[in-house]
Amino acid sequence: MVTGAGGGVGRATVRAFAARGDRVALLARGREGLAAAADEVERAGGEALVVGVDVSDAKAVDDAAQQVVDAYGHIDVWVNNAFTGVFAPFTEVTPDEFRRVTEVTYLGYVFGTRAALRHMLPRDRGTIVQVGSALAYRGIPLQSAYCGAKHAIQGFNESLRCELLHARSGVRTTMVQLPGLNTPQFDWVLNRMPGRARPVAPVYQPEVAARAIVHASSHARRREYWVGGSTAATLLANAVVPGLLERYLARTNVDAQQEEGRPEGPANLWSPADGAHGRDHGAHGRFDDESTGKSPQQWLSRNRGWMGAVLTAGAAALAARKLTAPARG
């Protein structure tokens, strides 16, 4: 099951699961995006089940999970991905808007996780993937509600992992921290800034995120995965020199998150941009020309055990060569 499946990262993720021949339940609000995503799943060799749901409604999420179990018998993987946001200084975000972002972006993950556990715990198996962000650790300007929600997901997920480990449960949960991505979200967010919203460079294609999510779903013993060199650099800098990083972000990131032009398109805060009177926006945003579909850091992260073994073997061979080399007078 993938929430937010109609566009962006969710859309790329359901395609990636479908390419393996999986049965995929697509959860989202938007009618047009879900219909197009289901068609792509079927054409990729998977099987699609469309479930229209607003993840901020706990009962609706429970009902969606039951619908999937009734159709497929069980839930093996649940991917929490749906979100919304407001692109504005904190003082210009209304209480209702902040609450709405929190309900979708944070509580949507809580409700999705509860629904998944209700079916996974009795079977003592299953994986929950929380789609996170570098912003789960490092808040940036103009995205206070979104950053707050991602931080909350991080803390909630850590607490849940401890509880599952204590119970010696076979259910796993992991988190995938993402970089700036070329998705339609930057034309969907409610934007009160003078320029059009954009991701901070470098920008990655959503398929990079999708590959990481699918990998994490099969390798959930890792507590989290970092995707993209920018994510790794941000999280490491935040751990070592958070004050310096904060001043740098204050100086650069208001401008780095905008480009020329006025905000376009309907905001999806209260209703989906791909609803009954909208259109399918697909997985990609308007940044294809500057986006990369590769992440060497992601490959190293996924293969760090293998790389460690290679480096260890190389060091051992070098040490042995030195020990057996003839002495030089």
Side-chain angles (χ1 to χ4, degrees):
M1 296 181 69
V2 180
T3 70
V9 170
R11 181 71 163 268
T13 300
V14 299
R15 291 172 181 167
F17 278 119
R20 308 191 312 180
D22 291 347
R23 295 184 298 185
V24 189
L26 288 65
L27 278 64
R29 295 177 299 163
R31 180 187 306 176
E32 299 300 322
L34 280 175
D39 181 63
E40 289 177 349
V41 167
E42 299 287 348
R43 286 191 283 111
E47 181 179 338
L49 175 64
V50 171
V51 184
V53 64
D54 185 330
V55 297
S56 69
D57 184 335
K59 184 179 184 306
V61 174
D62 278 339
D63 291 345
Q66 188 60 56
Q67 184 176 338
V68 174
V69 170
D70 291 343
Y72 293 154
H74 57 269
I75 299 171
D76 289 322
V77 175
W78 185 297
V79 178
N80 282 314
N81 167 72
F83 78 95
T84 190
V86 178
F87 190 69
F90 169 70
T91 53
E92 297 182 23
V93 182
T94 71
D96 283 344
E97 290 165 352
F98 209 102
R99 181 181 298 109
R100 175 62 176 168
V101 173
T102 304
E103 288 173 346
V104 174
T105 309
Y106 171 50
L107 291 181
Y109 279 49
V110 173
F111 299 154
T113 300
R114 285 180 61 88
L117 290 175
R118 184 161 62 90
H119 297 281
M120 291 179 178
L121 289 176
R123 300 176 63 231
D124 197 34
R125 61 181 298 183
T127 298
I128 301 168
V129 180
Q130 319 285 18
V131 177
S133 166
L135 307 189
Y137 287 94
R138 174 67 263 171
I140 62 174
L142 305 182
Q143 298 197 51
S144 56
Y146 178 83
C147 290
K150 289 299 183 183
H151 274 66
I153 294 164
Q154 180 71 24
F156 152 68
N157 190 60
E158 288 176 349
S159 179
L160 174 60
R161 280 182 60 86
C162 290
E163 294 176 6
L164 293 173
L165 288 168
H166 173 76
R168 300 183 184 276
S169 174
V171 178
R172 308 294 180 190
T173 179
T174 187
M175 198 160 178
V176 180
Q177 312 294 16
L178 302 181
L181 296 162
N182 174 32
T183 69
Q185 75 178 72
F186 298 95
D187 291 321
W188 283 352
V189 295
L190 177 59
N191 182 4
R192 293 204 172 96
M193 299 303 293
R196 299 180 76 182
R198 59 154 293 131
V200 177
V203 183
Y204 295 83
Q205 295 289 21
E207 288 77 16
V208 174
R211 290 194 295 269
I213 292 166
V214 172
H215 177 82
S217 73
S218 301
H219 302 81
R221 289 186 179 273
R222 281 268 297 273
R223 64 186 304 273
E224 68 179 18
Y225 291 84
W226 296 359
V227 179
S230 57
T231 298
T234 298
L235 299 189
L236 291 173
N238 192 60
V240 177
V241 286
L244 182 62
L245 178 60
E246 194 164 65
R247 288 190 289 274
Y248 170 78
L249 294 172
R251 187 174 68 252
T252 65
N253 263 43
V254 170
D255 290 338
Q257 294 182 81
Q258 298 180 76
E259 62 183 18
E260 291 185 4
R262 293 294 304 164
E264 296 181 4
N268 74 339
L269 185 64
W270 303 106
S271 59
D274 55 346
H277 302 291
R279 63 176 179 85
D280 171 38
H281 293 263
H284 288 209
R286 63 180 192 274
F287 308 100
D288 277 327
D289 289 346
E290 64 175 287
S291 299
T292 177
K294 298 180 180 179
S295 171
Q297 178 278 333
Q298 180 187 345
W299 185 91
L300 290 172
S301 176
R302 288 171 53 177
N303 295 278
R304 66 181 187 180
W306 179 82
M307 287 296 295
V310 170
L311 292 174
T312 300
L318 181 60
R321 179 179 297 179
K322 288 182 178 181
L323 288 172
T324 58
R328 296 185 179 182

